[in-house]
Amino acid sequence: MSLMANGNVVDEEQFEDAFENIPAASKMDLRHALEECTVALNLFLNNKFSESLELLRPWAKDSAYHALGYSTILVMQAAMTFEPQDIQMGISTMKDALQTCQRFRKRNTVVESLSSLVSKQAGDNLSEEEMHAEICYAECLLQKAALTFVQDENMINFIKGGLKIRTSYQIYKECHQLLHSATTLDNKFPSETYHQFEGGVKLGIGAFNLMLSLLPSRILRLLEFIGFSGNRELGLSQLREGANGTSIRAVLCVLTLLFYHTYISLILGTGEGNLNEADTLLEPYIKKFPNGSLILFYAARIDVLKGNFEKAEMTFQQCIVAQQEWKQIHHLCYWELMWCYSFQQDWLQAYRYADLLCKESKWSKAIYVFQKAAILSMLPDDDVKATGEDIVSLFREVEGLKQRIAGKSIPTEKFAIRKSRRYSSSNPVKLVLPALEMMYVWNGFTIVGRRSDLTESLLVTIEKAEVVLQNETNPTEYSVDDQCLVQLLKGLCLKHLGRLLQAELCLNQVIQSEKRLKYDHYLLPFTFYELGLLHKQQGDFDKAIRYIETAKNNYKDYSMESRLHFRIHAALSSLKGSPASTP
């Protein structure tokens, strides 16, 4: 297998030889630091996680790039796995990295140094090493902010994190201005290290602008007051340029774009990630690292989003076999496999992976147990008995499993706990289609909607539940809420099947039941949002905006409110940017 170092293709064995034969040195200069970190990065991408960390660790307190690389690997682990202990380890290591970078920075304030550098003579105020220390310091701060966001989707928490990373943002802004000033740095600094600095700026400016552009307007207005702004197109273009460059950050730009297209755009957006771009970005890395677990994982995730579930399942299995060191990557694969089988309504296989998550992963036992119980609820009683599980007992476990990360509850955990309370009484009232409701929570209908055969199959399941509810002889206090949930899910299936008039009728039934809803108040704003998307699909942008604005302005204090506001922001941004919309 071949790897890349400084733009050259070499054999994996050469990388291992290079790793073993790196001489002990008393001082690590910038050029050698970059070379060694490139070797470490390639080891990491080839599943040699411990070797990569061992290569970086000795210099993590004496080299800004080693400190950044060492902490970046731990942050990537935390971001991929969502394990609380990984998150805390990432934050702790990032603090150490910030201290190391701080030692190499110029003594006076960053903004003063860089501003004078731009306005006077380029490079006179900061040495090459100090310039790189600035960008490493800014990158550490940015990753720390990203880790804070992984901990909690809560907007207020994000604002607090945003206030803390203002220094990072200012450094990137000044460095970006410096790169585009009349006097450039490439005359002063060696070309290979200049390109590394340039790659760092593009990663930072790109990630910052992309991250900020996702924020709902009411939050962004507060951040703009203290100097933040988010331009999605600028963010994407900077990341694309960085991804196509030759710097050590090129792969980080690629991974940032992949995460945006395959996760962020789906969970916090309308599900309109650019899968063609994701394919193009990943292709060269599939060739270089055909067994790299991170690469395999994204290849499978792209297939999931395309609706190629069978192919995705095979690739996730390859990813699991590829390495045994980071078991948490296996857990990510189990999560995705659980959904692949859920989309196909292969509930026994979906249960298998939900059960594995319950037994092995520590991220959110509450969500895993709820998910397992929800999946079992979709099976016939005989199949449930064969598993040896008790659905009622599982739902009753959920509330006791809740956790707090950095003092905050996970929004989806709170939702699962609220739903499972129906089983707490001595006469529990069964949830209706709980696995499909959770599918909607994760925007899964957008994914399964790419397959008309599977969407039709889901519609049959939903209509069966609809008939059961209609024929209830003794309605419960939850009956109206259950009927509204069924109509929302039915409407989504009909929308994806192109039966838009019928879909609108279903969604309107939810709206008309507003005053009768007792518990699932989230259904109303989410339904208005879906009606808006439906009218967008029909080309009626004015009506689409009105419905989505209703969801935004008329409701508060409901389950997953933050998540919906992110989606609303994404939808309104696309609508108001359309030439067909009213100014």
Side-chain angles (χ1 to χ4, degrees):
M1 179 171 56
S2 296
L3 306 175
M4 292 290 290
N6 296 330
N8 299 315
V9 179
V10 297
D11 291 335
E12 179 186 341
E13 288 76 11
Q14 287 179 268
F15 265 101
E16 293 177 0
D17 292 342
F19 172 49
E20 291 170 2
N21 297 321
I22 290 170
S26 58
K27 186 177 180 181
M28 180 68 66
D29 63 29
L30 180 62
R31 186 173 64 83
H32 284 102
L34 286 163
E35 287 177 355
E36 197 162 283
C37 288
T38 300
V39 174
L41 176 62
N42 282 281
L43 286 168
F44 173 81
L45 291 172
N46 200 36
N47 303 327
K48 300 183 184 298
F49 309 121
S50 294
E51 290 179 39
S52 180
L53 287 169
E54 285 304 313
L55 177 58
L56 295 166
R57 185 182 288 115
W59 289 97
K61 295 189 184 299
D62 297 293
S63 158
Y65 271 102
H66 284 72
L68 173 62
Y70 184 70
S71 57
T72 295
I73 290 175
L74 295 179
V75 166
M76 288 176 78
Q77 182 181 25
M80 286 189 299
T81 65
F82 288 76
E83 291 274 8
Q85 65 267 34
D86 289 340
I87 292 172
Q88 292 306 322
M89 174 67 79
I91 289 173
S92 174
T93 311
M94 194 55 72
K95 287 178 181 176
D96 293 340
L98 285 166
Q99 290 178 356
T100 300
C101 293
Q102 181 69 26
R103 296 210 326 270
F104 292 93
R105 297 172 70 214
K106 199 169 181 69
R107 293 289 179 186
N108 57 329
T109 67
V110 167
V111 177
E112 286 174 4
S113 299
L114 288 171
S115 295
S116 61
L117 185 59
V118 174
S119 59
K120 297 175 185 176
Q121 291 184 338
D124 286 352
N125 286 15
L126 293 178
S127 69
E128 181 185 17
E129 189 175 58
E130 287 169 339
M131 288 294 297
H132 281 270
E134 290 296 339
I135 212 71
C136 289
Y137 185 79
E139 195 167 321
C140 285
L141 285 173
L142 175 59
Q143 290 186 26
K144 192 178 177 187
L147 213 51
T148 301
F149 188 58
V150 165
Q151 286 181 310
D152 188 13
E153 293 171 11
N154 184 281
M155 292 186 199
I156 300 301
N157 197 47
F158 192 87
I159 292 172
K160 289 177 181 176
L163 294 172
K164 291 176 184 176
I165 61 167
R166 188 164 185 258
T167 301
S168 172
Y169 185 65
Q170 289 299 110
I171 293 172
Y172 279 123
K173 278 180 68 177
E174 296 293 349
C175 288
H176 188 245
Q177 186 179 349
L178 175 61
L179 285 174
H180 293 84
S181 62
T183 310
T184 58
L185 290 176
D186 52 355
N187 294 324
K188 179 180 173 65
F189 298 154
S191 60
E192 63 268 25
T193 55
Y194 169 77
H195 289 308
Q196 298 290 353
F197 176 78
E198 183 182 43
V201 175
K202 290 186 184 301
L203 172 64
I205 289 292
F208 254 117
N209 275 275
L210 188 58
M211 185 166 58
L212 290 167
S213 73
L214 297 169
L215 294 173
S217 55
R218 60 184 169 130
I219 301 302
L220 192 55
R221 278 197 296 270
L222 293 174
L223 292 177
E224 285 172 344
F225 182 73
I226 56 169
F228 287 91
S229 59
N231 182 319
R232 184 168 307 182
E233 289 311 310
L234 173 63
L236 289 171
S237 68
Q238 288 290 294
L239 287 169
R240 285 164 181 153
E241 288 176 22
N244 290 322
T246 57
S247 81
I248 195 171
R249 272 107 168 177
V251 68
L252 295 178
C253 291
V254 168
L255 292 173
T256 302
L257 285 166
L258 286 172
F259 189 62
Y260 171 72
H261 288 313
T262 62
Y263 280 100
I264 297 296
S265 64
L266 194 85
I267 296 170
L268 301 181
T270 57
E272 296 173 354
N274 189 333
L275 298 184
N276 289 332
E277 180 175 22
D279 265 334
T280 301
L281 288 165
L282 199 59
E283 186 179 2
Y285 291 93
I286 291 173
K287 291 178 180 176
K288 292 177 203 171
F289 307 102
N291 294 311
S293 57
L294 191 59
I295 306 306
L296 286 168
F297 179 82
Y298 272 113
R301 175 64 180 173
I302 291 168
D303 274 322
V304 169
L305 296 182
K306 289 178 177 177
N308 300 332
F309 304 130
E310 297 84 358
K311 183 181 176 184
E313 288 157 14
M314 293 172 60
T315 309
F316 281 128
Q317 296 294 351
Q318 276 183 266
C319 183
I320 292 167
V321 172
Q323 60 85 35
Q324 299 300 314
E325 188 177 341
W326 276 13
K327 292 288 187 180
Q328 297 94 330
I329 295 180
H330 295 184
H331 302 158
L332 278 177
C333 292
Y334 296 162
W335 176 262
E336 293 293 339
L337 284 162
M338 178 189 74
W339 284 115
C340 281
Y341 288 115
S342 294
F343 295 148
Q344 297 169 83
Q345 295 193 80
D346 186 342
W347 300 116
L348 276 174
Q349 281 285 60
Y351 157 75
R352 177 190 168 201
Y353 288 104
D355 188 47
L356 279 171
L357 287 168
C358 287
K359 290 173 179 173
E360 295 185 18
S361 177
K362 297 175 183 176
W363 170 58
S364 172
K365 293 288 187 184
I367 289 176
Y368 294 149
V369 171
F370 181 87
Q371 196 73 42
K372 181 163 77 166
I375 288 167
L376 287 168
S377 299
M378 308 298 294
L379 285 166
D381 291 341
D382 289 345
D383 288 347
V384 176
K385 285 179 184 175
T387 66
E389 303 277 9
D390 183 290
I391 293 175
V392 174
S393 296
L394 287 171
F395 277 123
R396 286 176 177 170
E397 282 181 38
V398 174
E399 187 159 10
L401 295 170
K402 68 181 176 182
Q403 63 181 354
R404 298 176 77 82
I405 300 176
K408 299 289 183 180
S409 300
I410 301 170
T412 41
E413 233 183 41
K414 289 192 284 190
F415 179 78
I417 289 165
R418 195 171 290 123
K419 298 295 294 189
S420 65
R421 285 177 183 152
R422 281 171 58 161
Y423 291 82
S424 59
S425 71
S426 56
N427 293 308
V429 181
K430 289 183 178 180
L431 289 167
V432 174
L433 304 175
L436 301 193
E437 185 173 21
M438 287 303 282
M439 191 184 291
Y440 176 64
V441 165
W442 293 100
N443 218 351
F445 279 79
T446 300
I447 300 172
V448 79
R450 292 180 176 270
R451 289 275 297 270
S452 58
D453 58 331
L454 298 178
T455 306
E456 287 277 11
S457 182
L458 280 176
L459 181 59
V460 170
T461 299
I462 293 165
E463 287 178 335
K464 285 179 182 176
E466 181 183 27
V467 171
V468 171
L469 286 171
Q470 287 171 348
N471 294 333
E472 273 185 328
T473 52
N474 296 307
T476 70
E477 59 183 318
Y478 300 101
S479 293
V480 174
D481 297 63
D482 291 343
Q483 288 166 5
C484 287
L485 171 64
V486 166
Q487 291 307 310
L488 171 59
L489 299 180
K490 183 178 178 181
L492 291 170
C493 287
L494 291 167
K495 183 186 88 166
H496 287 296
L497 291 169
R499 295 153 65 179
L500 303 187
L501 180 58
Q502 289 173 279
E504 187 174 355
L505 290 171
C506 289
L507 297 177
N508 277 323
Q509 280 191 50
V510 181
I511 303 302
Q512 290 159 11
S513 302
E514 176 167 6
K515 293 182 179 178
R516 298 164 59 214
L517 273 173
K518 290 187 177 180
Y519 300 101
D520 293 329
H521 299 291
Y522 85 94
L523 290 170
L524 288 163
F526 274 85
T527 299
F528 272 112
Y529 165 77
E530 295 294 349
L531 270 169
L533 293 185
L534 182 67
H535 286 291
K536 177 188 176 185
Q537 188 174 335
Q538 292 173 315
D540 191 341
F541 295 106
D542 290 343
K543 191 174 281 189
I545 291 171
R546 280 204 307 276
Y547 276 122
I548 295 173
E549 291 277 9
T550 299
K552 176 183 174 182
N553 299 322
N554 291 15
Y555 299 92
K556 62 180 181 178
D557 301 327
Y558 53 87
S559 295
M560 298 169 300
E561 183 176 358
S562 291
R563 182 171 294 199
L564 181 58
H565 276 276
F566 277 103
R567 292 181 185 176
I568 285 170
H569 173 69
L572 289 176
S573 296
S574 66
L575 279 162
K576 291 177 178 177
S578 166
S581 63
T582 302

